[in-house]
Each structure stands twice: as structure tokens, then as C-alpha cells.
Amino acid sequence: MVKHIVTFKLTGTPEERRQVAERFRDALLALPEQIEPLKSIEVGINENPAETWDVVLTAVVPTMADVAVYANHPAHVAAAGLLAGHKENRACVDYEF
């Protein structure tokens, strides 16, 4: 199995960042029903005002090849599009467990 962990730093006011993060979270949480190899996804919105990263997601897929299937699926591409114009930075780690 592979864990795909991604963090996002968004732009805008705290309120704007929160609204974008919530829409993004809701879209991501719907993906396991739409993307066959996606076994689970967890999405967290940062609650700590002392930190600057806004959103983290942890997705689980069977293989590294399935990370690409997930990333290129139209439903995921649409969810990622919700960050257009709001994404300042992104960091990702994929590892087998």
C-alpha cells in the first residue's frame, strides 16, 4: 500500500483560505466513491493559527502506479482545480507501508 500525503499553503485572508479549504476538503472526501484504486482519504484543515500551512490530505492506494491513476482521474483534477488562484505552495510525500 502507498500513502500519498500532501500539504497546501493557500493565499488570501484567513476567511478566504478557510472557505477554499472547506470546498477542497468536501470535494476530496467524495473521491473514494469515484476513483477505484483510492482506498481512503483523510483531509484536515489547520486549526493552529501559529502555523502557516492550511490543508493536509492523506490518501491510500495499493501501488505507486495508482498514485498516478488517482492524480490524473477527472474527479481529482476537478477537485484540485478548486485551488486555482489560491495555492501558494504544495509539498508531497509518497511512501509504501
Side-chain angles (χ1 to χ4, degrees):
M1 299 297 277
V2 175
K3 280 198 181 178
H4 171 71
I5 301 173
V6 187
T7 61
F8 296 92
K9 186 182 292 189
L10 304 177
T11 61
T13 67
E15 294 80 19
E16 291 168 336
R17 292 182 0 242
R18 181 71 186 206
Q19 289 175 354
V20 169
E22 288 175 353
R23 285 194 305 270
F24 184 52
R25 176 198 60 207
D26 294 347
L28 290 175
L29 291 176
L31 294 180
E33 297 173 4
Q34 302 173 58
I35 304 174
E36 190 277 324
L38 183 58
K39 301 305 177 196
S40 68
I41 192 164
E42 182 177 312
V43 183
I45 298 174
N46 185 26
E47 300 291 337
N48 184 348
E51 297 297 334
T52 60
W53 290 82
D54 296 289
V55 181
V56 63
L57 73 89
T58 302
V60 176
V61 295
T63 68
M64 287 300 292
D66 289 322
V67 174
V69 171
Y70 157 76
N72 293 307
H73 190 281
H76 175 265
V77 172
L82 295 172
L83 297 183
H86 301 284
K87 183 172 61 176
E88 179 180 327
N89 211 338
R90 174 187 180 275
C92 177
V93 174
D94 296 315
Y95 66 91
E96 293 182 346
F97 68 100

